[in-house]
Amino acid sequence: MHLLKGSLGSGILAMPMAFMNAGLWLGLIATFAVGTLCTYCVHILVKCAHILCRRRKIPMMGFADVAEQAFLDGPPGLNRWSRFIRFMVNVLLVIDLIGCCCIYLVFVGTNVKAVLDEYMEEPLNIRVWIVIVTCTLLVMCLVRNLKYLTPFSMIANILMFV
């Protein structure tokens, strides 16, 4: 369930709107095309990581490590770019994750507002809800042992199933 939630995330809830805008057939074709492309790229990355780990006798590598080692093992003209590529991979990962987190916070804040506005006499601004969700998630991110988050994960799994 964690893999499913991590891979699909809240984006799965936006699929109906994506299909509404793209149409049924284009939406299906595009979904499978993007899914196939993403799967293929991850397969290439994992395969390269295995090869480079074997060559370097390293048990595991991160994204930036794989990129740096690939440039070091590649054509001699690209060797000097290895440190820069490592830096760029890390920068792009940070930008990607910040963007995902921002979208996630807006998505969750908007949905919490939509539900709780029905029960409040004076609805709060969406920005207030985003700050509340952000503070809650920051507190949860401070938990170092994941076993303490198990009850929350179980509730999330049940709600996702429902």
Side-chain angles (χ1 to χ4, degrees):
M1 285 303 283
H2 290 300
L3 182 62
L4 181 66
K5 284 190 300 189
S7 297
L8 300 177
S10 57
I12 193 73
L13 300 175
M15 288 297 281
M17 188 168 53
F19 273 81
M20 182 183 73
N21 290 324
L24 179 63
W25 296 111
L26 179 61
L28 279 173
I29 292 168
T31 299
F32 281 109
V34 169
T36 302
L37 179 65
C38 289
T39 304
Y40 177 70
C41 289
V42 168
H43 176 71
I44 290 174
L45 180 64
V46 169
K47 190 175 177 180
C48 289
H50 282 268
I51 292 169
L52 291 169
C53 282
R54 250 184 274 130
R55 279 186 194 166
R56 301 281 184 201
K57 294 182 174 76
I58 301 172
M60 58 187 265
M61 290 185 182
F63 292 125
D65 300 326
V66 172
E68 182 180 27
Q69 292 303 319
F71 270 69
L72 286 172
D73 286 0
L78 296 179
N79 291 358
R80 64 182 178 173
W81 293 95
S82 64
R83 302 277 298 165
F84 177 72
I85 291 301
R86 178 186 185 84
F87 172 76
M88 285 307 298
V89 166
N90 284 326
V91 166
L92 293 172
L93 280 172
V94 168
I95 290 170
D96 176 57
L97 292 173
I98 287 172
C100 289
C101 289
C102 290
I103 292 167
Y104 181 75
L105 290 171
V106 170
F107 180 80
V108 172
T110 303
N111 285 299
V112 168
K113 177 182 172 33
V115 170
L116 295 181
D117 277 357
E118 298 294 323
Y119 302 103
M120 299 179 73
E121 289 185 26
E122 191 172 324
L124 295 174
N125 187 335
I126 184 64
R127 290 186 174 108
V128 175
W129 284 115
I130 292 172
V131 168
I132 292 170
V133 169
T134 303
C135 292
T136 306
L137 287 174
L138 285 175
V139 169
M140 290 175 73
C141 288
L142 293 175
V143 176
R144 289 182 173 256
N145 193 337
L146 293 180
K147 74 177 183 181
Y148 299 124
L149 294 178
T150 303
F152 298 105
S153 180
M154 175 103 58
I155 292 168
N157 288 339
I158 291 168
L159 290 174
M160 195 164 125
F161 181 75
V162 169

